[in-house]
Short mmCIF file of all heavy atoms in Angstrom, two decimals:
data_model
loop_
_atom_site.label_atom_id
_atom_site.label_comp_id
_atom_site.label_asym_id
_atom_site.label_seq_id
_atom_site.Cartn_x
_atom_site.Cartn_y
_atom_site.Cartn_z
N MET A 817 33.42 -11.54 -25.75
CA MET A 817 32.55 -10.46 -26.16
C MET A 817 33.35 -9.16 -26.11
O MET A 817 34.09 -8.91 -25.16
CB MET A 817 31.34 -10.40 -25.23
CG MET A 817 30.28 -9.43 -25.70
SD MET A 817 28.86 -9.37 -24.58
CE MET A 817 27.93 -10.76 -25.17
N SER A 818 33.19 -8.35 -27.10
CA SER A 818 33.97 -7.12 -27.17
C SER A 818 33.33 -6.02 -26.33
O SER A 818 32.17 -6.08 -25.95
CB SER A 818 34.09 -6.67 -28.61
OG SER A 818 32.84 -6.21 -29.07
N PHE A 819 34.14 -5.01 -26.06
CA PHE A 819 33.63 -3.87 -25.31
C PHE A 819 32.61 -3.08 -26.11
O PHE A 819 31.71 -2.47 -25.54
CB PHE A 819 34.78 -2.96 -24.88
CG PHE A 819 35.59 -3.54 -23.76
CD1 PHE A 819 36.91 -3.91 -23.95
CD2 PHE A 819 35.03 -3.71 -22.50
CE1 PHE A 819 37.65 -4.45 -22.91
CE2 PHE A 819 35.76 -4.25 -21.45
CZ PHE A 819 37.08 -4.62 -21.67
N GLN A 820 32.74 -3.08 -27.45
CA GLN A 820 31.74 -2.37 -28.27
C GLN A 820 30.37 -3.00 -28.10
O GLN A 820 29.37 -2.29 -28.02
CB GLN A 820 32.15 -2.41 -29.74
CG GLN A 820 33.16 -1.36 -30.12
CD GLN A 820 33.40 -1.35 -31.62
OE1 GLN A 820 33.12 -2.32 -32.31
NE2 GLN A 820 33.92 -0.24 -32.11
N ALA A 821 30.31 -4.32 -28.05
CA ALA A 821 29.03 -4.99 -27.88
C ALA A 821 28.42 -4.67 -26.51
O ALA A 821 27.22 -4.44 -26.39
CB ALA A 821 29.18 -6.49 -28.06
N LEU A 822 29.26 -4.65 -25.50
CA LEU A 822 28.77 -4.32 -24.16
C LEU A 822 28.31 -2.87 -24.08
O LEU A 822 27.29 -2.56 -23.45
CB LEU A 822 29.85 -4.58 -23.11
CG LEU A 822 30.18 -6.05 -22.86
CD1 LEU A 822 31.36 -6.17 -21.91
CD2 LEU A 822 28.98 -6.78 -22.30
N ASN A 823 29.03 -1.98 -24.72
CA ASN A 823 28.62 -0.57 -24.74
C ASN A 823 27.31 -0.38 -25.49
O ASN A 823 26.47 0.43 -25.09
CB ASN A 823 29.72 0.30 -25.35
CG ASN A 823 30.88 0.51 -24.40
OD1 ASN A 823 30.73 0.42 -23.20
ND2 ASN A 823 32.05 0.78 -24.96
N ALA A 824 27.14 -1.12 -26.58
CA ALA A 824 25.89 -1.04 -27.33
C ALA A 824 24.72 -1.54 -26.49
O ALA A 824 23.65 -0.93 -26.47
CB ALA A 824 26.00 -1.84 -28.62
N ALA A 825 24.93 -2.63 -25.78
CA ALA A 825 23.88 -3.17 -24.92
C ALA A 825 23.56 -2.21 -23.78
O ALA A 825 22.40 -1.99 -23.44
CB ALA A 825 24.31 -4.52 -24.36
N LEU A 826 24.59 -1.60 -23.21
CA LEU A 826 24.39 -0.65 -22.13
C LEU A 826 23.65 0.59 -22.62
O LEU A 826 22.75 1.10 -21.93
CB LEU A 826 25.74 -0.25 -21.53
CG LEU A 826 25.70 0.63 -20.30
CD1 LEU A 826 24.92 -0.02 -19.18
CD2 LEU A 826 27.11 0.96 -19.85
N ALA A 827 23.97 1.06 -23.81
CA ALA A 827 23.26 2.22 -24.38
C ALA A 827 21.79 1.88 -24.59
O ALA A 827 20.91 2.70 -24.31
CB ALA A 827 23.91 2.63 -25.69
N GLY A 828 21.52 0.68 -25.07
CA GLY A 828 20.13 0.25 -25.26
C GLY A 828 19.37 0.19 -23.95
O GLY A 828 18.20 0.60 -23.87
N LEU A 829 20.01 -0.30 -22.90
CA LEU A 829 19.35 -0.37 -21.60
C LEU A 829 19.09 1.03 -21.02
O LEU A 829 18.06 1.27 -20.41
CB LEU A 829 20.21 -1.18 -20.62
CG LEU A 829 20.25 -2.68 -20.89
CD1 LEU A 829 21.28 -3.35 -19.98
CD2 LEU A 829 18.89 -3.30 -20.70
N ARG A 830 20.03 1.94 -21.24
CA ARG A 830 19.82 3.31 -20.74
C ARG A 830 18.64 3.98 -21.44
O ARG A 830 17.83 4.65 -20.80
CB ARG A 830 21.09 4.13 -20.95
CG ARG A 830 22.17 3.82 -19.97
CD ARG A 830 23.36 4.73 -20.16
NE ARG A 830 24.42 4.36 -19.23
CZ ARG A 830 25.70 4.40 -19.50
NH1 ARG A 830 26.10 4.81 -20.69
NH2 ARG A 830 26.59 4.06 -18.61
N VAL A 831 18.55 3.81 -22.75
CA VAL A 831 17.44 4.42 -23.48
C VAL A 831 16.12 3.76 -23.07
O VAL A 831 15.11 4.44 -22.93
CB VAL A 831 17.68 4.34 -25.00
CG1 VAL A 831 16.44 4.76 -25.77
CG2 VAL A 831 18.85 5.22 -25.39
N ALA A 832 16.14 2.45 -22.87
CA ALA A 832 14.93 1.76 -22.43
C ALA A 832 14.48 2.28 -21.07
O ALA A 832 13.28 2.47 -20.82
CB ALA A 832 15.16 0.25 -22.37
N GLN A 833 15.43 2.55 -20.17
CA GLN A 833 15.09 3.11 -18.86
C GLN A 833 14.50 4.51 -19.00
O GLN A 833 13.53 4.85 -18.32
CB GLN A 833 16.33 3.15 -17.96
CG GLN A 833 16.05 3.72 -16.59
CD GLN A 833 15.06 2.89 -15.79
OE1 GLN A 833 15.15 1.67 -15.79
NE2 GLN A 833 14.11 3.54 -15.16
N GLN A 834 15.06 5.32 -19.88
CA GLN A 834 14.50 6.65 -20.11
C GLN A 834 13.10 6.57 -20.69
O GLN A 834 12.22 7.37 -20.33
CB GLN A 834 15.42 7.46 -21.03
CG GLN A 834 16.74 7.83 -20.41
CD GLN A 834 17.69 8.49 -21.40
OE1 GLN A 834 17.49 8.43 -22.60
NE2 GLN A 834 18.74 9.11 -20.88
N GLN A 835 12.86 5.61 -21.59
CA GLN A 835 11.53 5.42 -22.15
C GLN A 835 10.53 5.04 -21.06
O GLN A 835 9.41 5.55 -21.02
CB GLN A 835 11.55 4.32 -23.23
CG GLN A 835 12.28 4.69 -24.48
CD GLN A 835 11.42 5.48 -25.44
OE1 GLN A 835 10.32 5.90 -25.13
NE2 GLN A 835 11.93 5.68 -26.63
N LEU A 836 10.94 4.12 -20.18
CA LEU A 836 10.06 3.71 -19.09
C LEU A 836 9.75 4.87 -18.14
O LEU A 836 8.61 5.02 -17.67
CB LEU A 836 10.68 2.56 -18.30
CG LEU A 836 10.71 1.21 -19.02
CD1 LEU A 836 11.52 0.20 -18.22
CD2 LEU A 836 9.30 0.70 -19.24
N THR A 837 10.73 5.71 -17.88
CA THR A 837 10.50 6.88 -17.03
C THR A 837 9.51 7.84 -17.68
O THR A 837 8.61 8.36 -17.02
CB THR A 837 11.84 7.59 -16.75
OG1 THR A 837 12.72 6.67 -16.12
CG2 THR A 837 11.64 8.81 -15.88
N THR A 838 9.66 8.05 -18.98
CA THR A 838 8.74 8.94 -19.70
C THR A 838 7.33 8.39 -19.68
O THR A 838 6.37 9.12 -19.42
CB THR A 838 9.22 9.12 -21.15
OG1 THR A 838 10.55 9.63 -21.14
CG2 THR A 838 8.32 10.07 -21.91
N ILE A 839 7.18 7.10 -19.93
CA ILE A 839 5.85 6.47 -19.91
C ILE A 839 5.25 6.54 -18.51
O ILE A 839 4.06 6.83 -18.35
CB ILE A 839 5.95 5.02 -20.41
CG1 ILE A 839 6.30 5.02 -21.89
CG2 ILE A 839 4.65 4.27 -20.16
CD1 ILE A 839 6.69 3.66 -22.43
N SER A 840 6.07 6.30 -17.50
CA SER A 840 5.58 6.37 -16.12
C SER A 840 5.08 7.76 -15.78
O SER A 840 4.03 7.92 -15.15
CB SER A 840 6.71 5.97 -15.17
OG SER A 840 6.35 6.18 -13.84
N ASN A 841 5.81 8.78 -16.21
CA ASN A 841 5.36 10.17 -15.98
C ASN A 841 4.06 10.45 -16.72
O ASN A 841 3.18 11.14 -16.19
CB ASN A 841 6.43 11.16 -16.42
CG ASN A 841 7.61 11.18 -15.47
OD1 ASN A 841 7.50 10.82 -14.32
ND2 ASN A 841 8.76 11.60 -15.98
N ASN A 842 3.91 9.94 -17.94
CA ASN A 842 2.68 10.14 -18.70
C ASN A 842 1.49 9.50 -17.99
O ASN A 842 0.41 10.10 -17.90
CB ASN A 842 2.81 9.58 -20.11
CG ASN A 842 3.69 10.44 -20.99
OD1 ASN A 842 3.88 11.62 -20.74
ND2 ASN A 842 4.23 9.84 -22.03
N VAL A 843 1.68 8.30 -17.48
CA VAL A 843 0.58 7.59 -16.82
C VAL A 843 0.22 8.27 -15.50
O VAL A 843 -0.95 8.48 -15.19
CB VAL A 843 0.95 6.11 -16.60
CG1 VAL A 843 -0.06 5.42 -15.69
CG2 VAL A 843 1.05 5.39 -17.93
N SER A 844 1.24 8.63 -14.72
CA SER A 844 0.95 9.22 -13.40
C SER A 844 0.34 10.62 -13.51
O SER A 844 -0.36 11.05 -12.60
CB SER A 844 2.22 9.26 -12.54
OG SER A 844 3.18 10.10 -13.13
N ASN A 845 0.59 11.33 -14.60
CA ASN A 845 0.04 12.68 -14.76
C ASN A 845 -1.13 12.73 -15.74
O ASN A 845 -1.49 13.81 -16.20
CB ASN A 845 1.14 13.63 -15.24
CG ASN A 845 2.16 13.89 -14.17
OD1 ASN A 845 1.82 14.19 -13.04
ND2 ASN A 845 3.44 13.74 -14.52
N ALA A 846 -1.72 11.60 -16.03
CA ALA A 846 -2.80 11.55 -17.02
C ALA A 846 -3.99 12.42 -16.63
O ALA A 846 -4.64 13.00 -17.49
CB ALA A 846 -3.24 10.11 -17.24
N THR A 847 -4.28 12.52 -15.36
CA THR A 847 -5.44 13.30 -14.92
C THR A 847 -5.07 14.70 -14.43
O THR A 847 -5.94 15.43 -13.97
CB THR A 847 -6.18 12.56 -13.79
OG1 THR A 847 -5.28 12.35 -12.70
CG2 THR A 847 -6.72 11.22 -14.28
N THR A 848 -3.81 15.06 -14.53
CA THR A 848 -3.37 16.39 -14.10
C THR A 848 -3.80 17.43 -15.12
O THR A 848 -3.50 17.30 -16.31
CB THR A 848 -1.83 16.42 -13.96
OG1 THR A 848 -1.43 15.42 -13.04
CG2 THR A 848 -1.37 17.78 -13.47
N PRO A 849 -4.52 18.45 -14.69
CA PRO A 849 -4.95 19.49 -15.64
C PRO A 849 -3.74 20.21 -16.25
O PRO A 849 -2.80 20.57 -15.55
CB PRO A 849 -5.76 20.46 -14.79
CG PRO A 849 -6.07 19.73 -13.54
CD PRO A 849 -5.01 18.70 -13.35
N GLY A 850 -3.76 20.38 -17.55
CA GLY A 850 -2.70 21.09 -18.23
C GLY A 850 -1.50 20.25 -18.62
O GLY A 850 -0.59 20.75 -19.27
N TYR A 851 -1.48 19.00 -18.20
CA TYR A 851 -0.35 18.14 -18.55
C TYR A 851 -0.52 17.62 -19.97
O TYR A 851 -1.62 17.27 -20.39
CB TYR A 851 -0.23 16.96 -17.58
CG TYR A 851 0.97 16.07 -17.85
CD1 TYR A 851 2.22 16.44 -17.41
CD2 TYR A 851 0.84 14.89 -18.56
CE1 TYR A 851 3.33 15.66 -17.65
CE2 TYR A 851 1.94 14.10 -18.81
CZ TYR A 851 3.18 14.48 -18.36
OH TYR A 851 4.28 13.70 -18.61
N SER A 852 0.55 17.57 -20.72
CA SER A 852 0.50 17.02 -22.08
C SER A 852 1.44 15.83 -22.17
O SER A 852 2.50 15.80 -21.54
CB SER A 852 0.87 18.08 -23.11
OG SER A 852 2.19 18.52 -22.89
N ARG A 853 1.04 14.87 -22.95
CA ARG A 853 1.82 13.64 -23.11
C ARG A 853 3.15 13.95 -23.77
O ARG A 853 3.27 14.81 -24.62
CB ARG A 853 1.03 12.67 -23.98
CG ARG A 853 1.68 11.33 -24.15
CD ARG A 853 0.78 10.38 -24.89
NE ARG A 853 0.68 10.71 -26.29
CZ ARG A 853 1.35 10.09 -27.25
NH1 ARG A 853 2.15 9.11 -26.96
NH2 ARG A 853 1.21 10.47 -28.50
N LYS A 854 4.19 13.23 -23.36
CA LYS A 854 5.52 13.41 -23.93
C LYS A 854 6.01 12.09 -24.51
O LYS A 854 5.66 11.03 -24.02
CB LYS A 854 6.48 13.93 -22.87
CG LYS A 854 6.11 15.31 -22.39
CD LYS A 854 6.93 15.74 -21.21
CE LYS A 854 6.54 17.10 -20.71
NZ LYS A 854 5.21 17.23 -20.24
N ILE A 855 6.80 12.19 -25.57
CA ILE A 855 7.41 11.00 -26.16
C ILE A 855 8.92 11.23 -26.23
O ILE A 855 9.39 12.37 -26.30
CB ILE A 855 6.84 10.66 -27.55
CG1 ILE A 855 7.06 11.80 -28.52
CG2 ILE A 855 5.37 10.30 -27.45
CD1 ILE A 855 6.72 11.44 -29.95
N LEU A 856 9.67 10.15 -26.20
CA LEU A 856 11.12 10.21 -26.27
C LEU A 856 11.59 9.45 -27.50
O LEU A 856 11.66 8.23 -27.48
CB LEU A 856 11.74 9.61 -25.01
CG LEU A 856 13.26 9.66 -24.91
CD1 LEU A 856 13.72 11.11 -24.78
CD2 LEU A 856 13.75 8.84 -23.75
N PRO A 857 11.90 10.15 -28.59
CA PRO A 857 12.38 9.46 -29.78
C PRO A 857 13.77 8.89 -29.55
O PRO A 857 14.53 9.37 -28.72
CB PRO A 857 12.41 10.54 -30.85
CG PRO A 857 12.04 11.80 -30.21
CD PRO A 857 11.78 11.57 -28.77
N GLN A 858 14.09 7.87 -30.31
CA GLN A 858 15.42 7.27 -30.23
C GLN A 858 15.95 7.02 -31.64
O GLN A 858 15.18 6.89 -32.57
CB GLN A 858 15.39 5.98 -29.43
CG GLN A 858 14.48 4.93 -29.99
CD GLN A 858 14.33 3.76 -29.04
OE1 GLN A 858 14.75 3.82 -27.90
NE2 GLN A 858 13.74 2.69 -29.51
N SER A 859 17.25 6.97 -31.76
CA SER A 859 17.87 6.73 -33.06
C SER A 859 19.10 5.87 -32.87
O SER A 859 19.67 5.80 -31.78
CB SER A 859 18.23 8.05 -33.74
OG SER A 859 19.18 8.74 -32.95
N THR A 860 19.52 5.22 -33.95
CA THR A 860 20.72 4.41 -33.87
C THR A 860 21.94 5.30 -33.85
O THR A 860 21.95 6.39 -34.41
CB THR A 860 20.83 3.44 -35.07
OG1 THR A 860 20.80 4.21 -36.26
CG2 THR A 860 19.72 2.44 -35.06
N GLN A 861 22.97 4.84 -33.19
CA GLN A 861 24.21 5.60 -33.07
C GLN A 861 25.27 4.87 -33.87
O GLN A 861 25.58 3.71 -33.60
CB GLN A 861 24.59 5.70 -31.60
CG GLN A 861 25.70 6.65 -31.31
CD GLN A 861 25.93 6.78 -29.82
OE1 GLN A 861 25.43 5.99 -29.03
NE2 GLN A 861 26.69 7.78 -29.43
N VAL A 862 25.85 5.54 -34.86
CA VAL A 862 26.83 4.94 -35.76
C VAL A 862 28.22 5.40 -35.36
O VAL A 862 28.43 6.57 -35.04
CB VAL A 862 26.53 5.32 -37.22
CG1 VAL A 862 27.53 4.68 -38.16
CG2 VAL A 862 25.12 4.89 -37.59
N ILE A 863 29.18 4.49 -35.40
CA ILE A 863 30.51 4.81 -34.91
C ILE A 863 31.42 5.50 -35.93
O ILE A 863 32.14 6.41 -35.61
CB ILE A 863 31.21 3.55 -34.35
CG1 ILE A 863 32.50 3.95 -33.61
CG2 ILE A 863 31.52 2.55 -35.44
CD1 ILE A 863 33.10 2.84 -32.81
N ASN A 864 31.40 5.05 -37.19
CA ASN A 864 32.33 5.65 -38.16
C ASN A 864 31.79 5.48 -39.58
O ASN A 864 30.65 5.10 -39.78
CB ASN A 864 33.73 5.04 -38.03
CG ASN A 864 33.72 3.53 -38.19
OD1 ASN A 864 32.76 2.95 -38.67
ND2 ASN A 864 34.78 2.89 -37.78
N SER A 865 32.63 5.75 -40.55
CA SER A 865 32.20 5.72 -41.95
C SER A 865 31.87 4.32 -42.45
O SER A 865 31.24 4.17 -43.48
CB SER A 865 33.27 6.35 -42.84
OG SER A 865 34.48 5.61 -42.73
N THR A 866 32.29 3.28 -41.73
CA THR A 866 31.96 1.93 -42.16
C THR A 866 30.51 1.59 -41.86
O THR A 866 29.99 0.62 -42.36
CB THR A 866 32.87 0.88 -41.48
OG1 THR A 866 32.68 0.96 -40.07
CG2 THR A 866 34.32 1.12 -41.84
N GLY A 867 29.87 2.39 -41.03
CA GLY A 867 28.46 2.18 -40.75
C GLY A 867 28.18 1.19 -39.64
O GLY A 867 27.07 0.68 -39.54
N GLN A 868 29.16 0.91 -38.81
CA GLN A 868 28.93 -0.01 -37.70
C GLN A 868 28.01 0.66 -36.68
O GLN A 868 28.26 1.77 -36.24
CB GLN A 868 30.24 -0.38 -37.02
CG GLN A 868 31.16 -1.22 -37.86
CD GLN A 868 32.46 -1.49 -37.14
OE1 GLN A 868 32.92 -0.69 -36.34
NE2 GLN A 868 33.05 -2.63 -37.43
N ILE A 869 26.97 -0.05 -36.32
CA ILE A 869 26.02 0.48 -35.33
C ILE A 869 26.51 0.09 -33.95
O ILE A 869 26.80 -1.08 -33.69
CB ILE A 869 24.60 -0.07 -35.60
CG1 ILE A 869 24.11 0.44 -36.95
CG2 ILE A 869 23.66 0.35 -34.48
CD1 ILE A 869 22.80 -0.14 -37.38
N ILE A 870 26.63 1.07 -33.07
CA ILE A 870 27.14 0.78 -31.73
C ILE A 870 26.08 0.95 -30.65
O ILE A 870 26.40 0.92 -29.48
CB ILE A 870 28.37 1.64 -31.40
CG1 ILE A 870 28.03 3.11 -31.43
CG2 ILE A 870 29.52 1.34 -32.31
CD1 ILE A 870 29.06 3.99 -30.78
N GLY A 871 24.86 1.16 -31.02
CA GLY A 871 23.81 1.28 -30.01
C GLY A 871 22.74 2.26 -30.41
O GLY A 871 22.57 2.58 -31.58
N VAL A 872 22.04 2.73 -29.43
CA VAL A 872 20.98 3.72 -29.65
C VAL A 872 21.23 4.92 -28.76
O VAL A 872 21.95 4.83 -27.77
CB VAL A 872 19.58 3.13 -29.36
CG1 VAL A 872 19.23 2.05 -30.33
CG2 VAL A 872 19.50 2.63 -27.94
N GLN A 873 20.66 6.02 -29.13
CA GLN A 873 20.72 7.21 -28.29
C GLN A 873 19.35 7.85 -28.26
O GLN A 873 18.58 7.75 -29.21
CB GLN A 873 21.76 8.20 -28.78
CG GLN A 873 21.47 8.81 -30.13
CD GLN A 873 22.58 9.74 -30.58
OE1 GLN A 873 23.66 9.75 -30.03
NE2 GLN A 873 22.30 10.53 -31.59
N SER A 874 19.04 8.48 -27.14
CA SER A 874 17.76 9.16 -27.04
C SER A 874 17.92 10.58 -27.55
O SER A 874 19.00 11.16 -27.52
CB SER A 874 17.28 9.16 -25.59
OG SER A 874 18.20 9.84 -24.77
N GLU A 875 16.82 11.12 -28.03
CA GLU A 875 16.82 12.49 -28.52
C GLU A 875 16.05 13.35 -27.53
O GLU A 875 15.75 12.92 -26.43
CB GLU A 875 16.20 12.51 -29.93
CG GLU A 875 17.02 11.72 -30.92
CD GLU A 875 16.40 11.63 -32.30
OE1 GLU A 875 15.37 12.28 -32.53
OE2 GLU A 875 16.95 10.90 -33.13
N THR A 876 15.71 14.54 -27.91
CA THR A 876 15.01 15.46 -27.02
C THR A 876 13.55 15.05 -26.84
O THR A 876 12.90 14.62 -27.79
CB THR A 876 15.07 16.88 -27.62
OG1 THR A 876 16.43 17.21 -27.87
CG2 THR A 876 14.48 17.89 -26.67
N LEU A 877 13.05 15.20 -25.63
CA LEU A 877 11.64 14.91 -25.36
C LEU A 877 10.75 15.79 -26.22
O LEU A 877 11.01 16.98 -26.39
CB LEU A 877 11.30 15.19 -23.90
CG LEU A 877 11.51 14.08 -22.90
CD1 LEU A 877 11.28 14.60 -21.50
CD2 LEU A 877 10.63 12.91 -23.17
N ILE A 878 9.69 15.19 -26.76
CA ILE A 878 8.73 15.92 -27.58
C ILE A 878 7.41 15.96 -26.84
O ILE A 878 6.91 14.94 -26.37
CB ILE A 878 8.55 15.24 -28.96
CG1 ILE A 878 9.87 15.25 -29.72
CG2 ILE A 878 7.46 15.94 -29.75
CD1 ILE A 878 9.81 14.47 -31.02
N ARG A 879 6.84 17.14 -26.75
CA ARG A 879 5.56 17.32 -26.08
C ARG A 879 4.46 17.23 -27.12
O ARG A 879 4.45 17.96 -28.10
CB ARG A 879 5.55 18.70 -25.42
CG ARG A 879 4.45 18.90 -24.47
CD ARG A 879 4.64 20.22 -23.75
NE ARG A 879 3.34 20.85 -23.69
CZ ARG A 879 3.11 22.13 -23.82
NH1 ARG A 879 4.09 22.95 -24.00
NH2 ARG A 879 1.89 22.60 -23.75
N LYS A 880 3.53 16.30 -26.93
CA LYS A 880 2.42 16.12 -27.86
C LYS A 880 1.23 16.94 -27.37
O LYS A 880 0.72 16.74 -26.29
CB LYS A 880 2.01 14.64 -27.93
CG LYS A 880 3.11 13.72 -28.43
CD LYS A 880 3.58 14.07 -29.80
CE LYS A 880 2.77 13.39 -30.84
NZ LYS A 880 3.23 13.59 -32.19
N VAL A 881 0.82 17.89 -28.20
CA VAL A 881 -0.27 18.80 -27.84
C VAL A 881 -1.34 18.72 -28.92
O VAL A 881 -1.04 18.72 -30.11
CB VAL A 881 0.25 20.25 -27.71
CG1 VAL A 881 -0.88 21.20 -27.38
CG2 VAL A 881 1.35 20.33 -26.70
N ASP A 882 -2.59 18.65 -28.48
CA ASP A 882 -3.71 18.70 -29.41
C ASP A 882 -3.95 20.16 -29.78
O ASP A 882 -4.28 20.99 -28.93
CB ASP A 882 -4.96 18.09 -28.77
CG ASP A 882 -6.11 17.99 -29.74
OD1 ASP A 882 -5.90 18.15 -30.96
OD2 ASP A 882 -7.24 17.74 -29.27
N LEU A 883 -3.77 20.49 -31.04
CA LEU A 883 -3.86 21.88 -31.47
C LEU A 883 -5.29 22.35 -31.73
O LEU A 883 -5.52 23.55 -31.85
CB LEU A 883 -3.01 22.09 -32.72
CG LEU A 883 -1.51 21.87 -32.53
CD1 LEU A 883 -0.80 22.05 -33.85
CD2 LEU A 883 -0.96 22.81 -31.50
N ASN A 884 -6.25 21.45 -31.81
CA ASN A 884 -7.63 21.85 -32.10
C ASN A 884 -8.23 22.79 -31.04
O ASN A 884 -8.82 23.81 -31.39
CB ASN A 884 -8.52 20.63 -32.31
CG ASN A 884 -8.22 19.96 -33.64
OD1 ASN A 884 -7.80 20.61 -34.59
ND2 ASN A 884 -8.43 18.66 -33.69
N PRO A 885 -8.12 22.48 -29.74
CA PRO A 885 -8.66 23.44 -28.76
C PRO A 885 -7.97 24.80 -28.83
O PRO A 885 -8.60 25.84 -28.65
CB PRO A 885 -8.40 22.76 -27.42
CG PRO A 885 -8.26 21.33 -27.72
CD PRO A 885 -7.68 21.26 -29.09
N GLU A 886 -6.67 24.80 -29.10
CA GLU A 886 -5.96 26.07 -29.20
C GLU A 886 -6.43 26.87 -30.42
O GLU A 886 -6.60 28.08 -30.34
CB GLU A 886 -4.45 25.79 -29.28
CG GLU A 886 -3.61 27.03 -29.15
CD GLU A 886 -2.14 26.70 -29.08
OE1 GLU A 886 -1.79 25.61 -28.60
OE2 GLU A 886 -1.35 27.55 -29.50
N LYS A 887 -6.66 26.18 -31.53
CA LYS A 887 -7.17 26.86 -32.74
C LYS A 887 -8.55 27.45 -32.47
O LYS A 887 -8.85 28.57 -32.89
CB LYS A 887 -7.24 25.89 -33.91
CG LYS A 887 -5.92 25.54 -34.51
CD LYS A 887 -6.10 24.56 -35.66
CE LYS A 887 -4.79 24.09 -36.19
NZ LYS A 887 -4.94 23.07 -37.25
N GLN A 888 -9.40 26.68 -31.79
CA GLN A 888 -10.74 27.18 -31.48
C GLN A 888 -10.68 28.39 -30.57
O GLN A 888 -11.46 29.35 -30.74
CB GLN A 888 -11.57 26.07 -30.82
CG GLN A 888 -11.93 24.95 -31.76
CD GLN A 888 -12.64 23.81 -31.05
OE1 GLN A 888 -12.76 23.81 -29.84
NE2 GLN A 888 -13.08 22.83 -31.82
N LEU A 889 -9.77 28.38 -29.63
CA LEU A 889 -9.61 29.52 -28.73
C LEU A 889 -9.21 30.76 -29.52
O LEU A 889 -9.80 31.83 -29.34
CB LEU A 889 -8.55 29.22 -27.66
CG LEU A 889 -8.18 30.40 -26.78
CD1 LEU A 889 -9.33 30.77 -25.85
CD2 LEU A 889 -6.93 30.11 -25.99
N TRP A 890 -8.26 30.64 -30.41
CA TRP A 890 -7.79 31.80 -31.16
C TRP A 890 -8.81 32.30 -32.18
O TRP A 890 -8.87 33.49 -32.47
CB TRP A 890 -6.45 31.51 -31.84
CG TRP A 890 -5.33 31.49 -30.85
CD1 TRP A 890 -4.65 30.38 -30.40
CD2 TRP A 890 -4.80 32.59 -30.12
NE1 TRP A 890 -3.73 30.75 -29.46
CE2 TRP A 890 -3.80 32.10 -29.27
CE3 TRP A 890 -5.08 33.95 -30.10
CZ2 TRP A 890 -3.07 32.92 -28.42
CZ3 TRP A 890 -4.34 34.77 -29.25
CH2 TRP A 890 -3.36 34.25 -28.42
N THR A 891 -9.62 31.40 -32.71
CA THR A 891 -10.67 31.86 -33.63
C THR A 891 -11.77 32.60 -32.88
O THR A 891 -12.39 33.52 -33.41
CB THR A 891 -11.27 30.71 -34.44
OG1 THR A 891 -11.74 29.70 -33.54
CG2 THR A 891 -10.25 30.12 -35.39
N GLN A 892 -12.02 32.21 -31.63
CA GLN A 892 -13.03 32.90 -30.83
C GLN A 892 -12.52 34.26 -30.34
O GLN A 892 -13.29 35.19 -30.19
CB GLN A 892 -13.44 32.05 -29.62
CG GLN A 892 -14.24 30.83 -30.01
CD GLN A 892 -14.56 29.96 -28.81
OE1 GLN A 892 -14.19 30.29 -27.68
NE2 GLN A 892 -15.23 28.86 -29.04
N VAL A 893 -11.25 34.36 -30.12
CA VAL A 893 -10.66 35.62 -29.62
C VAL A 893 -10.58 36.57 -30.79
O VAL A 893 -10.96 37.65 -30.85
CB VAL A 893 -9.25 35.39 -29.03
CG1 VAL A 893 -8.59 36.72 -28.70
CG2 VAL A 893 -9.35 34.55 -27.79
#
C-alpha cells in the first residue's frame, strides 16, 4: 500500500472526527438559548493536474441561522 493511500485514509478519518465533534456540539447545545446549529462542509483534495484525489479536507464551519425571527424583529423596529 502506498503512502498516498494511507494519507488519503488518514485525511478522511480526521475529517470524520471533526464532523463527529461538530455534531456532538450541536446535540449537547440543542437547548442552550442563543445557540445555532453548525455544519462542517468537506471537499475532495486533489494533488495535481492529473486529477488524482488524495483525500478530503474540511472547510470553515458554517453557522445555520433561521432568518425569519430576525426579519420579524427588524420589521417591528
Side-chain angles (χ1 to χ4, degrees):
M817 188 180 276
S818 70
F819 286 114
Q820 278 186 339
L822 290 174
N823 284 336
L826 186 58
L829 289 172
R830 284 184 182 144
V831 171
Q833 180 63 43
Q834 291 173 345
Q835 291 276 9
L836 288 172
T837 301
T838 303
I839 292 169
S840 173
N841 287 337
N842 286 338
V843 170
S844 64
N845 291 311
T847 58
T848 303
Y851 183 80
S852 61
R853 184 174 72 100
K854 295 172 181 62
I855 60 171
L856 182 67
Q858 59 189 10
S859 62
T860 57
Q861 190 175 14
V862 181
I863 190 168
N864 56 16
S865 61
T866 61
Q868 292 177 330
I869 296 174
I870 61 165
V872 294
Q873 66 182 14
S874 61
E875 297 176 6
T876 306
L877 272 173
I878 298 174
R879 193 173 138 218
K880 299 300 272 185
V881 178
D882 186 13
L883 296 178
N884 287 332
E886 190 174 331
K887 286 179 186 176
Q888 290 175 354
L889 173 70
W890 286 108
T891 55
Q892 290 177 1
V893 172

